[in-house]
Amino acid sequence: MKLSIIVPVYKVRRHIQNCIESILMQTYTDFELILVDDGSPDNCGAICDRYAQECDKVKVIHKKNGGLSSARNAGLAVAQGEYITFVDGDDTVASGTYYYNMRILQSNPDIDILEYPVNINYESPQSHMLSFNAEKVSGNRNIFVDYIKRKAYEHCYAWNKIYRADMFFFTRYPEGEIYEDVLVTPALYENCDNVYYSDGGMYYYYAHQESITRNYSFHSLYCLYKNKALLYNKVKKEYNLLPEANEILLTTLDNLTDLMRCSDGTKEERKKAFELLEGAKIDLKTLFKMEIPLKRKLKFVPFSLFGAKFHSKLIAMMHKKLC
């Protein structure tokens, strides 16, 4: 088959059927659906088994709970398709999405990654669209520079993309991490030859209360902050994209501030967090030349004057605890 669709399944009993149905109803049919029951304590495993009995396209893996990365890796280990895509167990995919985009890939076999539109926070007041003009970007370094300049790191989701399977030959998601996409997706873009931004199809991302991004802890926010800090250092030191690096740095500082608003981090963990941005600096002149709102410029004046540690602690003190 051409396409392997990997769906990690954990505590999504109320949503998994909608997810599976949206995939099985696709007009593109040359796929396998790999449902990875990551030790879900509800009856998700039984739901997955029922679909496997009814449809030979569906495969089920039952495993001990190891987290989202572990589930994705388990799916990658058995995937047989020439292409790989991911869907979270509480999301859905619009009809025709795979038909439209697989036609592009079959006509352009040199494309390593295809990214297609997303409706973010679907069916909520915060719903908004992420869409693209159809465009192919080629060349190893050029792809990553373009990725940074178009701020694609803001939508570095594992889902809403279709990958050539060999992109994962040496790559796996880091287990035990949260927000692992922030680390893995830029690395995949950095190591491919051709990327296509598609204007067709739609991934529906739902903002459920139980989703990972709504369950904050020092550990989860540290994973996000650490991966953003690593991206900032790469963009600044290896690619010398200073304006873009400064923009990433400000968002990374926001992540550090959220980290300081968590009460469950130890003194040593906080010290380790500060070390990741040790020496990072944006002088006042550069800060006020940045194309960001004045209110945001004023917010980062303490950082320009006194550094990341002082800034994050100060801003955190001005807000209530996050976790």
Side-chain angles (χ1 to χ4, degrees), residues 101 105 111 113-118 130-133 135 147 150 152-157 159-163 185 189 195-200:
N101 289 304
L105 291 170
I111 294 173
I113 301 174
L114 179 148
E115 181 168 7
Y116 62 89
V118 188
L130 170 67
S131 58
F132 310 98
N133 294 321
E135 183 180 359
Y147 177 87
R150 68 169 67 217
Y153 51 83
E154 294 180 354
H155 46 93
C156 57
Y157 323 114
W159 35 260
N160 92 303
K161 298 169 181 69
I162 303 174
Y163 314 82
T185 303
Y189 275 73
V195 167
Y196 189 84
Y197 293 93
S198 171
D199 60 354

PDB file of all heavy atoms in Angstrom, residues 101 105 111 113-118 130-133 135 147 150 152-157 159-163 185 189 195-200:
ATOM      1  N   ASN A 101      -4.032  14.984  -1.811  1.00  0.00           N
ATOM      2  CA  ASN A 101      -2.601  15.149  -1.540  1.00  0.00           C
ATOM      3  C   ASN A 101      -1.755  13.966  -1.982  1.00  0.00           C
ATOM      4  O   ASN A 101      -0.598  14.151  -2.378  1.00  0.00           O
ATOM      5  CB  ASN A 101      -2.398  15.460  -0.053  1.00  0.00           C
ATOM      6  CG  ASN A 101      -2.867  16.854   0.290  1.00  0.00           C
ATOM      7  OD1 ASN A 101      -2.417  17.832  -0.304  1.00  0.00           O
ATOM      8  ND2 ASN A 101      -3.798  16.973   1.224  1.00  0.00           N
ATOM      9  N   LEU A 105       1.654  13.774  -4.439  1.00  0.00           N
ATOM     10  CA  LEU A 105       2.869  13.012  -4.132  1.00  0.00           C
ATOM     11  C   LEU A 105       3.180  11.975  -5.205  1.00  0.00           C
ATOM     12  O   LEU A 105       4.349  11.766  -5.555  1.00  0.00           O
ATOM     13  CB  LEU A 105       2.714  12.335  -2.767  1.00  0.00           C
ATOM     14  CG  LEU A 105       2.707  13.292  -1.564  1.00  0.00           C
ATOM     15  CD1 LEU A 105       2.298  12.565  -0.295  1.00  0.00           C
ATOM     16  CD2 LEU A 105       4.069  13.947  -1.386  1.00  0.00           C
ATOM     17  N   ILE A 111       9.108  14.611  -3.640  1.00  0.00           N
ATOM     18  CA  ILE A 111       8.683  15.355  -2.448  1.00  0.00           C
ATOM     19  C   ILE A 111       8.868  14.481  -1.206  1.00  0.00           C
ATOM     20  O   ILE A 111       8.381  13.352  -1.150  1.00  0.00           O
ATOM     21  CB  ILE A 111       7.216  15.802  -2.569  1.00  0.00           C
ATOM     22  CG1 ILE A 111       7.058  16.835  -3.693  1.00  0.00           C
ATOM     23  CG2 ILE A 111       6.722  16.393  -1.245  1.00  0.00           C
ATOM     24  CD1 ILE A 111       5.615  17.195  -3.990  1.00  0.00           C
ATOM     25  N   ILE A 113       8.258  15.774   2.166  1.00  0.00           N
ATOM     26  CA  ILE A 113       7.223  16.128   3.147  1.00  0.00           C
ATOM     27  C   ILE A 113       6.191  17.018   2.463  1.00  0.00           C
ATOM     28  O   ILE A 113       6.551  17.971   1.771  1.00  0.00           O
ATOM     29  CB  ILE A 113       7.815  16.884   4.356  1.00  0.00           C
ATOM     30  CG1 ILE A 113       8.883  16.055   5.065  1.00  0.00           C
ATOM     31  CG2 ILE A 113       6.711  17.256   5.351  1.00  0.00           C
ATOM     32  CD1 ILE A 113       9.607  16.808   6.181  1.00  0.00           C
ATOM     33  N   LEU A 114       4.936  16.708   2.674  1.00  0.00           N
ATOM     34  CA  LEU A 114       3.838  17.556   2.209  1.00  0.00           C
ATOM     35  C   LEU A 114       3.053  18.013   3.427  1.00  0.00           C
ATOM     36  O   LEU A 114       2.685  17.196   4.278  1.00  0.00           O
ATOM     37  CB  LEU A 114       2.933  16.785   1.249  1.00  0.00           C
ATOM     38  CG  LEU A 114       1.713  17.514   0.694  1.00  0.00           C
ATOM     39  CD1 LEU A 114       1.387  17.026  -0.719  1.00  0.00           C
ATOM     40  CD2 LEU A 114       0.472  17.338   1.596  1.00  0.00           C
ATOM     41  N   GLU A 115       2.808  19.313   3.526  1.00  0.00           N
ATOM     42  CA  GLU A 115       2.018  19.861   4.635  1.00  0.00           C
ATOM     43  C   GLU A 115       0.718  20.432   4.076  1.00  0.00           C
ATOM     44  O   GLU A 115       0.725  21.126   3.066  1.00  0.00           O
ATOM     45  CB  GLU A 115       2.803  20.952   5.376  1.00  0.00           C
ATOM     46  CG  GLU A 115       2.029  21.535   6.555  1.00  0.00           C
ATOM     47  CD  GLU A 115       2.889  22.402   7.478  1.00  0.00           C
ATOM     48  OE1 GLU A 115       4.058  22.662   7.123  1.00  0.00           O
ATOM     49  OE2 GLU A 115       2.385  22.808   8.535  1.00  0.00           O
ATOM     50  N   TYR A 116      -0.391  20.123   4.722  1.00  0.00           N
ATOM     51  CA  TYR A 116      -1.690  20.582   4.234  1.00  0.00           C
ATOM     52  C   TYR A 116      -2.441  21.356   5.323  1.00  0.00           C
ATOM     53  O   TYR A 116      -2.039  21.351   6.492  1.00  0.00           O
ATOM     54  CB  TYR A 116      -2.511  19.396   3.702  1.00  0.00           C
ATOM     55  CG  TYR A 116      -2.852  18.325   4.710  1.00  0.00           C
ATOM     56  CD1 TYR A 116      -4.010  18.404   5.472  1.00  0.00           C
ATOM     57  CD2 TYR A 116      -2.035  17.205   4.875  1.00  0.00           C
ATOM     58  CE1 TYR A 116      -4.347  17.414   6.381  1.00  0.00           C
ATOM     59  CE2 TYR A 116      -2.363  16.201   5.776  1.00  0.00           C
ATOM     60  CZ  TYR A 116      -3.528  16.317   6.524  1.00  0.00           C
ATOM     61  OH  TYR A 116      -3.852  15.335   7.429  1.00  0.00           O
ATOM     62  N   PRO A 117      -3.520  22.059   4.977  1.00  0.00           N
ATOM     63  CA  PRO A 117      -4.185  22.991   5.907  1.00  0.00           C
ATOM     64  C   PRO A 117      -4.758  22.346   7.172  1.00  0.00           C
ATOM     65  O   PRO A 117      -5.054  21.147   7.213  1.00  0.00           O
ATOM     66  CB  PRO A 117      -5.301  23.607   5.054  1.00  0.00           C
ATOM     67  CG  PRO A 117      -4.812  23.488   3.648  1.00  0.00           C
ATOM     68  CD  PRO A 117      -4.070  22.175   3.607  1.00  0.00           C
ATOM     69  N   VAL A 118      -4.929  23.197   8.188  1.00  0.00           N
ATOM     70  CA  VAL A 118      -5.472  22.782   9.484  1.00  0.00           C
ATOM     71  C   VAL A 118      -6.527  23.781   9.950  1.00  0.00           C
ATOM     72  O   VAL A 118      -6.356  24.991   9.774  1.00  0.00           O
ATOM     73  CB  VAL A 118      -4.376  22.738  10.578  1.00  0.00           C
ATOM     74  CG1 VAL A 118      -4.921  22.114  11.854  1.00  0.00           C
ATOM     75  CG2 VAL A 118      -3.149  22.008  10.116  1.00  0.00           C
ATOM     76  N   LEU A 130      -5.245  27.538   9.369  1.00  0.00           N
ATOM     77  CA  LEU A 130      -3.864  27.606   8.896  1.00  0.00           C
ATOM     78  C   LEU A 130      -3.885  27.034   7.484  1.00  0.00           C
ATOM     79  O   LEU A 130      -4.168  25.856   7.292  1.00  0.00           O
ATOM     80  CB  LEU A 130      -2.941  26.777   9.787  1.00  0.00           C
ATOM     81  CG  LEU A 130      -1.508  26.565   9.270  1.00  0.00           C
ATOM     82  CD1 LEU A 130      -0.763  27.884   9.249  1.00  0.00           C
ATOM     83  CD2 LEU A 130      -0.772  25.545  10.127  1.00  0.00           C
ATOM     84  N   SER A 131      -3.640  27.892   6.491  1.00  0.00           N
ATOM     85  CA  SER A 131      -3.702  27.445   5.102  1.00  0.00           C
ATOM     86  C   SER A 131      -2.459  27.918   4.362  1.00  0.00           C
ATOM     87  O   SER A 131      -1.698  28.751   4.851  1.00  0.00           O
ATOM     88  CB  SER A 131      -4.960  27.975   4.420  1.00  0.00           C
ATOM     89  OG  SER A 131      -5.000  29.389   4.467  1.00  0.00           O
ATOM     90  N   PHE A 132      -2.264  27.396   3.155  1.00  0.00           N
ATOM     91  CA  PHE A 132      -1.055  27.660   2.391  1.00  0.00           C
ATOM     92  C   PHE A 132      -1.386  27.944   0.929  1.00  0.00           C
ATOM     93  O   PHE A 132      -2.375  27.437   0.398  1.00  0.00           O
ATOM     94  CB  PHE A 132      -0.108  26.445   2.441  1.00  0.00           C
ATOM     95  CG  PHE A 132       0.148  25.918   3.820  1.00  0.00           C
ATOM     96  CD1 PHE A 132      -0.560  24.821   4.305  1.00  0.00           C
ATOM     97  CD2 PHE A 132       1.067  26.522   4.655  1.00  0.00           C
ATOM     98  CE1 PHE A 132      -0.342  24.331   5.581  1.00  0.00           C
ATOM     99  CE2 PHE A 132       1.296  26.048   5.935  1.00  0.00           C
ATOM    100  CZ  PHE A 132       0.595  24.952   6.395  1.00  0.00           C
ATOM    101  N   ASN A 133      -0.545  28.736   0.299  1.00  0.00           N
ATOM    102  CA  ASN A 133      -0.526  28.788  -1.149  1.00  0.00           C
ATOM    103  C   ASN A 133       0.283  27.599  -1.629  1.00  0.00           C
ATOM    104  O   ASN A 133       1.321  27.276  -1.052  1.00  0.00           O
ATOM    105  CB  ASN A 133       0.125  30.087  -1.637  1.00  0.00           C
ATOM    106  CG  ASN A 133      -0.681  31.312  -1.273  1.00  0.00           C
ATOM    107  OD1 ASN A 133      -1.909  31.292  -1.336  1.00  0.00           O
ATOM    108  ND2 ASN A 133      -0.013  32.384  -0.869  1.00  0.00           N
ATOM    109  N   GLU A 135       2.923  25.494  -3.013  1.00  0.00           N
ATOM    110  CA  GLU A 135       4.309  25.878  -3.286  1.00  0.00           C
ATOM    111  C   GLU A 135       5.254  24.727  -2.973  1.00  0.00           C
ATOM    112  O   GLU A 135       5.102  24.046  -1.956  1.00  0.00           O
ATOM    113  CB  GLU A 135       4.693  27.097  -2.445  1.00  0.00           C
ATOM    114  CG  GLU A 135       6.094  27.616  -2.702  1.00  0.00           C
ATOM    115  CD  GLU A 135       6.442  28.825  -1.862  1.00  0.00           C
ATOM    116  OE1 GLU A 135       5.579  29.280  -1.072  1.00  0.00           O
ATOM    117  OE2 GLU A 135       7.579  29.316  -1.979  1.00  0.00           O
ATOM    118  N   TYR A 147      11.611  27.485   6.048  1.00  0.00           N
ATOM    119  CA  TYR A 147      10.818  27.008   7.179  1.00  0.00           C
ATOM    120  C   TYR A 147      10.845  28.024   8.326  1.00  0.00           C
ATOM    121  O   TYR A 147       9.811  28.326   8.939  1.00  0.00           O
ATOM    122  CB  TYR A 147      11.381  25.661   7.625  1.00  0.00           C
ATOM    123  CG  TYR A 147      10.740  25.032   8.838  1.00  0.00           C
ATOM    124  CD1 TYR A 147       9.608  24.226   8.704  1.00  0.00           C
ATOM    125  CD2 TYR A 147      11.276  25.207  10.108  1.00  0.00           C
ATOM    126  CE1 TYR A 147       9.022  23.623   9.813  1.00  0.00           C
ATOM    127  CE2 TYR A 147      10.696  24.609  11.218  1.00  0.00           C
ATOM    128  CZ  TYR A 147       9.573  23.823  11.062  1.00  0.00           C
ATOM    129  OH  TYR A 147       9.002  23.245  12.166  1.00  0.00           O
ATOM    130  N   ARG A 150       9.138  31.570   7.232  1.00  0.00           N
ATOM    131  CA  ARG A 150       7.676  31.553   7.194  1.00  0.00           C
ATOM    132  C   ARG A 150       7.080  31.182   8.553  1.00  0.00           C
ATOM    133  O   ARG A 150       5.863  30.968   8.677  1.00  0.00           O
ATOM    134  CB  ARG A 150       7.156  30.621   6.099  1.00  0.00           C
ATOM    135  CG  ARG A 150       7.386  29.156   6.316  1.00  0.00           C
ATOM    136  CD  ARG A 150       6.591  28.309   5.321  1.00  0.00           C
ATOM    137  NE  ARG A 150       7.029  28.436   3.952  1.00  0.00           N
ATOM    138  CZ  ARG A 150       6.214  28.443   2.906  1.00  0.00           C
ATOM    139  NH1 ARG A 150       4.907  28.353   3.083  1.00  0.00           N
ATOM    140  NH2 ARG A 150       6.690  28.534   1.681  1.00  0.00           N
ATOM    141  N   ALA A 152       7.240  28.497  10.245  1.00  0.00           N
ATOM    142  CA  ALA A 152       6.593  27.187  10.251  1.00  0.00           C
ATOM    143  C   ALA A 152       6.804  26.456  11.572  1.00  0.00           C
ATOM    144  O   ALA A 152       6.073  25.502  11.866  1.00  0.00           O
ATOM    145  CB  ALA A 152       7.106  26.344   9.090  1.00  0.00           C
ATOM    146  N   TYR A 153       7.777  26.897  12.381  1.00  0.00           N
ATOM    147  CA  TYR A 153       7.990  26.298  13.698  1.00  0.00           C
ATOM    148  C   TYR A 153       6.786  26.552  14.608  1.00  0.00           C
ATOM    149  O   TYR A 153       6.647  25.920  15.654  1.00  0.00           O
ATOM    150  CB  TYR A 153       9.267  26.843  14.350  1.00  0.00           C
ATOM    151  CG  TYR A 153       9.359  28.348  14.373  1.00  0.00           C
ATOM    152  CD1 TYR A 153       8.731  29.096  15.364  1.00  0.00           C
ATOM    153  CD2 TYR A 153      10.073  29.034  13.391  1.00  0.00           C
ATOM    154  CE1 TYR A 153       8.807  30.478  15.383  1.00  0.00           C
ATOM    155  CE2 TYR A 153      10.169  30.410  13.398  1.00  0.00           C
ATOM    156  CZ  TYR A 153       9.521  31.125  14.392  1.00  0.00           C
ATOM    157  OH  TYR A 153       9.599  32.502  14.392  1.00  0.00           O
ATOM    158  N   GLU A 154       5.906  27.478  14.215  1.00  0.00           N
ATOM    159  CA  GLU A 154       4.691  27.715  14.991  1.00  0.00           C
ATOM    160  C   GLU A 154       3.617  26.675  14.690  1.00  0.00           C
ATOM    161  O   GLU A 154       2.608  26.594  15.392  1.00  0.00           O
ATOM    162  CB  GLU A 154       4.157  29.124  14.715  1.00  0.00           C
ATOM    163  CG  GLU A 154       5.085  30.223  15.219  1.00  0.00           C
ATOM    164  CD  GLU A 154       4.554  31.611  14.940  1.00  0.00           C
ATOM    165  OE1 GLU A 154       3.516  31.721  14.248  1.00  0.00           O
ATOM    166  OE2 GLU A 154       5.167  32.591  15.400  1.00  0.00           O
ATOM    167  N   HIS A 155       3.810  25.895  13.621  1.00  0.00           N
ATOM    168  CA  HIS A 155       2.883  24.796  13.321  1.00  0.00           C
ATOM    169  C   HIS A 155       3.683  23.540  12.986  1.00  0.00           C
ATOM    170  O   HIS A 155       3.527  22.944  11.933  1.00  0.00           O
ATOM    171  CB  HIS A 155       1.917  25.169  12.189  1.00  0.00           C
ATOM    172  CG  HIS A 155       2.534  25.828  10.997  1.00  0.00           C
ATOM    173  ND1 HIS A 155       2.960  25.157   9.884  1.00  0.00           N
ATOM    174  CD2 HIS A 155       2.780  27.135  10.745  1.00  0.00           C
ATOM    175  CE1 HIS A 155       3.437  26.006   8.994  1.00  0.00           C
ATOM    176  NE2 HIS A 155       3.347  27.214   9.489  1.00  0.00           N
ATOM    177  N   CYS A 156       4.556  23.164  13.932  1.00  0.00           N
ATOM    178  CA  CYS A 156       5.447  22.018  13.708  1.00  0.00           C
ATOM    179  C   CYS A 156       4.798  20.716  14.173  1.00  0.00           C
ATOM    180  O   CYS A 156       5.462  19.820  14.674  1.00  0.00           O
ATOM    181  CB  CYS A 156       6.780  22.243  14.420  1.00  0.00           C
ATOM    182  SG  CYS A 156       6.634  22.535  16.177  1.00  0.00           S
ATOM    183  N   TYR A 157       3.486  20.624  14.000  1.00  0.00           N
ATOM    184  CA  TYR A 157       2.752  19.437  14.394  1.00  0.00           C
ATOM    185  C   TYR A 157       3.214  18.218  13.602  1.00  0.00           C
ATOM    186  O   TYR A 157       3.554  18.330  12.431  1.00  0.00           O
ATOM    187  CB  TYR A 157       1.256  19.631  14.155  1.00  0.00           C
ATOM    188  CG  TYR A 157       0.746  21.014  14.442  1.00  0.00           C
ATOM    189  CD1 TYR A 157       0.258  21.829  13.422  1.00  0.00           C
ATOM    190  CD2 TYR A 157       0.739  21.515  15.745  1.00  0.00           C
ATOM    191  CE1 TYR A 157      -0.219  23.104  13.681  1.00  0.00           C
ATOM    192  CE2 TYR A 157       0.268  22.795  16.006  1.00  0.00           C
ATOM    193  CZ  TYR A 157      -0.206  23.591  14.974  1.00  0.00           C
ATOM    194  OH  TYR A 157      -0.671  24.850  15.228  1.00  0.00           O
ATOM    195  N   TRP A 159       1.103  15.774  12.891  1.00  0.00           N
ATOM    196  CA  TRP A 159      -0.027  15.575  11.987  1.00  0.00           C
ATOM    197  C   TRP A 159      -0.110  16.731  10.979  1.00  0.00           C
ATOM    198  O   TRP A 159       0.698  17.626  11.018  1.00  0.00           O
ATOM    199  CB  TRP A 159      -1.335  15.430  12.774  1.00  0.00           C
ATOM    200  CG  TRP A 159      -1.447  16.247  14.024  1.00  0.00           C
ATOM    201  CD1 TRP A 159      -1.253  15.820  15.301  1.00  0.00           C
ATOM    202  CD2 TRP A 159      -1.813  17.635  14.131  1.00  0.00           C
ATOM    203  NE1 TRP A 159      -1.461  16.847  16.201  1.00  0.00           N
ATOM    204  CE2 TRP A 159      -1.813  17.976  15.509  1.00  0.00           C
ATOM    205  CE3 TRP A 159      -2.139  18.626  13.213  1.00  0.00           C
ATOM    206  CZ2 TRP A 159      -2.122  19.244  15.973  1.00  0.00           C
ATOM    207  CZ3 TRP A 159      -2.449  19.906  13.662  1.00  0.00           C
ATOM    208  CH2 TRP A 159      -2.442  20.204  15.030  1.00  0.00           C
ATOM    209  N   ASN A 160      -1.034  16.686  10.066  1.00  0.00           N
ATOM    210  CA  ASN A 160      -1.236  17.590   8.915  1.00  0.00           C
ATOM    211  C   ASN A 160      -0.050  17.572   7.958  1.00  0.00           C
ATOM    212  O   ASN A 160       0.152  18.492   7.181  1.00  0.00           O
ATOM    213  CB  ASN A 160      -1.594  19.028   9.332  1.00  0.00           C
ATOM    214  CG  ASN A 160      -0.410  19.995   9.495  1.00  0.00           C
ATOM    215  OD1 ASN A 160       0.503  19.730  10.277  1.00  0.00           O
ATOM    216  ND2 ASN A 160      -0.428  21.093   8.764  1.00  0.00           N
ATOM    217  N   LYS A 161       0.712  16.485   7.999  1.00  0.00           N
ATOM    218  CA  LYS A 161       1.830  16.296   7.077  1.00  0.00           C
ATOM    219  C   LYS A 161       1.855  14.849   6.598  1.00  0.00           C
ATOM    220  O   LYS A 161       1.458  13.949   7.332  1.00  0.00           O
ATOM    221  CB  LYS A 161       3.158  16.648   7.752  1.00  0.00           C
ATOM    222  CG  LYS A 161       3.250  18.106   8.209  1.00  0.00           C
ATOM    223  CD  LYS A 161       4.439  18.334   9.098  1.00  0.00           C
ATOM    224  CE  LYS A 161       4.489  19.776   9.546  1.00  0.00           C
ATOM    225  NZ  LYS A 161       3.389  20.140  10.480  1.00  0.00           N
ATOM    226  N   ILE A 162       2.318  14.667   5.377  1.00  0.00           N
ATOM    227  CA  ILE A 162       2.536  13.319   4.837  1.00  0.00           C
ATOM    228  C   ILE A 162       4.016  13.218   4.496  1.00  0.00           C
ATOM    229  O   ILE A 162       4.552  14.078   3.795  1.00  0.00           O
ATOM    230  CB  ILE A 162       1.666  13.057   3.595  1.00  0.00           C
ATOM    231  CG1 ILE A 162       0.172  13.264   3.923  1.00  0.00           C
ATOM    232  CG2 ILE A 162       1.896  11.639   3.074  1.00  0.00           C
ATOM    233  CD1 ILE A 162      -0.744  13.160   2.720  1.00  0.00           C
ATOM    234  N   TYR A 163       4.675  12.189   5.011  1.00  0.00           N
ATOM    235  CA  TYR A 163       6.119  12.044   4.889  1.00  0.00           C
ATOM    236  C   TYR A 163       6.464  10.829   4.032  1.00  0.00           C
ATOM    237  O   TYR A 163       5.800   9.796   4.123  1.00  0.00           O
ATOM    238  CB  TYR A 163       6.766  11.832   6.260  1.00  0.00           C
ATOM    239  CG  TYR A 163       6.318  12.748   7.369  1.00  0.00           C
ATOM    240  CD1 TYR A 163       5.138  12.481   8.082  1.00  0.00           C
ATOM    241  CD2 TYR A 163       7.071  13.852   7.745  1.00  0.00           C
ATOM    242  CE1 TYR A 163       4.726  13.310   9.123  1.00  0.00           C
ATOM    243  CE2 TYR A 163       6.665  14.676   8.791  1.00  0.00           C
ATOM    244  CZ  TYR A 163       5.489  14.404   9.471  1.00  0.00           C
ATOM    245  OH  TYR A 163       5.088  15.209  10.506  1.00  0.00           O
ATOM    246  N   THR A 185      10.082  17.830  14.172  1.00  0.00           N
ATOM    247  CA  THR A 185       9.643  18.370  12.881  1.00  0.00           C
ATOM    248  C   THR A 185      10.686  19.275  12.234  1.00  0.00           C
ATOM    249  O   THR A 185      10.992  19.098  11.043  1.00  0.00           O
ATOM    250  CB  THR A 185       8.291  19.086  13.027  1.00  0.00           C
ATOM    251  OG1 THR A 185       7.335  18.169  13.573  1.00  0.00           O
ATOM    252  CG2 THR A 185       7.793  19.583  11.680  1.00  0.00           C
ATOM    253  N   TYR A 189      12.590  18.644   8.478  1.00  0.00           N
ATOM    254  CA  TYR A 189      12.653  19.636   7.404  1.00  0.00           C
ATOM    255  C   TYR A 189      14.098  19.967   7.045  1.00  0.00           C
ATOM    256  O   TYR A 189      14.417  20.227   5.887  1.00  0.00           O
ATOM    257  CB  TYR A 189      11.914  20.911   7.813  1.00  0.00           C
ATOM    258  CG  TYR A 189      10.433  20.861   7.538  1.00  0.00           C
ATOM    259  CD1 TYR A 189       9.580  20.070   8.323  1.00  0.00           C
ATOM    260  CD2 TYR A 189       9.864  21.583   6.501  1.00  0.00           C
ATOM    261  CE1 TYR A 189       8.227  20.010   8.073  1.00  0.00           C
ATOM    262  CE2 TYR A 189       8.506  21.530   6.244  1.00  0.00           C
ATOM    263  CZ  TYR A 189       7.688  20.742   7.030  1.00  0.00           C
ATOM    264  OH  TYR A 189       6.340  20.675   6.771  1.00  0.00           O
ATOM    265  N   VAL A 195      10.089  19.951  -0.184  1.00  0.00           N
ATOM    266  CA  VAL A 195       8.900  20.102   0.655  1.00  0.00           C
ATOM    267  C   VAL A 195       7.806  20.749  -0.185  1.00  0.00           C
ATOM    268  O   VAL A 195       8.081  21.635  -0.999  1.00  0.00           O
ATOM    269  CB  VAL A 195       9.203  20.971   1.894  1.00  0.00           C
ATOM    270  CG1 VAL A 195       7.925  21.402   2.597  1.00  0.00           C
ATOM    271  CG2 VAL A 195      10.096  20.213   2.862  1.00  0.00           C
ATOM    272  N   TYR A 196       6.573  20.300   0.023  1.00  0.00           N
ATOM    273  CA  TYR A 196       5.444  20.873  -0.695  1.00  0.00           C
ATOM    274  C   TYR A 196       4.407  21.372   0.303  1.00  0.00           C
ATOM    275  O   TYR A 196       3.986  20.630   1.199  1.00  0.00           O
ATOM    276  CB  TYR A 196       4.810  19.839  -1.620  1.00  0.00           C
ATOM    277  CG  TYR A 196       3.782  20.424  -2.558  1.00  0.00           C
ATOM    278  CD1 TYR A 196       4.155  21.010  -3.762  1.00  0.00           C
ATOM    279  CD2 TYR A 196       2.429  20.387  -2.236  1.00  0.00           C
ATOM    280  CE1 TYR A 196       3.217  21.558  -4.624  1.00  0.00           C
ATOM    281  CE2 TYR A 196       1.477  20.926  -3.093  1.00  0.00           C
ATOM    282  CZ  TYR A 196       1.878  21.504  -4.278  1.00  0.00           C
ATOM    283  OH  TYR A 196       0.944  22.052  -5.126  1.00  0.00           O
ATOM    284  N   TYR A 197       4.021  22.645   0.167  1.00  0.00           N
ATOM    285  CA  TYR A 197       2.942  23.221   0.958  1.00  0.00           C
ATOM    286  C   TYR A 197       1.675  23.146   0.114  1.00  0.00           C
ATOM    287  O   TYR A 197       1.574  23.789  -0.930  1.00  0.00           O
ATOM    288  CB  TYR A 197       3.273  24.654   1.364  1.00  0.00           C
ATOM    289  CG  TYR A 197       4.433  24.720   2.332  1.00  0.00           C
ATOM    290  CD1 TYR A 197       5.740  24.903   1.875  1.00  0.00           C
ATOM    291  CD2 TYR A 197       4.229  24.577   3.699  1.00  0.00           C
ATOM    292  CE1 TYR A 197       6.809  24.944   2.762  1.00  0.00           C
ATOM    293  CE2 TYR A 197       5.288  24.612   4.593  1.00  0.00           C
ATOM    294  CZ  TYR A 197       6.574  24.801   4.118  1.00  0.00           C
ATOM    295  OH  TYR A 197       7.631  24.835   4.991  1.00  0.00           O
ATOM    296  N   SER A 198       0.716  22.356   0.555  1.00  0.00           N
ATOM    297  CA  SER A 198      -0.484  22.072  -0.225  1.00  0.00           C
ATOM    298  C   SER A 198      -1.633  22.999   0.173  1.00  0.00           C
ATOM    299  O   SER A 198      -1.788  23.352   1.351  1.00  0.00           O
ATOM    300  CB  SER A 198      -0.909  20.615  -0.011  1.00  0.00           C
ATOM    301  OG  SER A 198      -2.166  20.362  -0.588  1.00  0.00           O
ATOM    302  N   ASP A 199      -2.435  23.350  -0.821  1.00  0.00           N
ATOM    303  CA  ASP A 199      -3.614  24.178  -0.555  1.00  0.00           C
ATOM    304  C   ASP A 199      -4.879  23.350  -0.419  1.00  0.00           C
ATOM    305  O   ASP A 199      -5.982  23.904  -0.292  1.00  0.00           O
ATOM    306  CB  ASP A 199      -3.795  25.220  -1.663  1.00  0.00           C
ATOM    307  CG  ASP A 199      -3.992  24.583  -3.045  1.00  0.00           C
ATOM    308  OD1 ASP A 199      -3.871  23.345  -3.155  1.00  0.00           O
ATOM    309  OD2 ASP A 199      -4.239  25.323  -4.012  1.00  0.00           O
ATOM    310  N   GLY A 200      -4.762  22.008  -0.431  1.00  0.00           N
ATOM    311  CA  GLY A 200      -5.940  21.152  -0.406  1.00  0.00           C
ATOM    312  C   GLY A 200      -5.983  20.213   0.782  1.00  0.00           C
ATOM    313  O   GLY A 200      -4.958  19.839   1.350  1.00  0.00           O
TER     314      GLY A 200
END
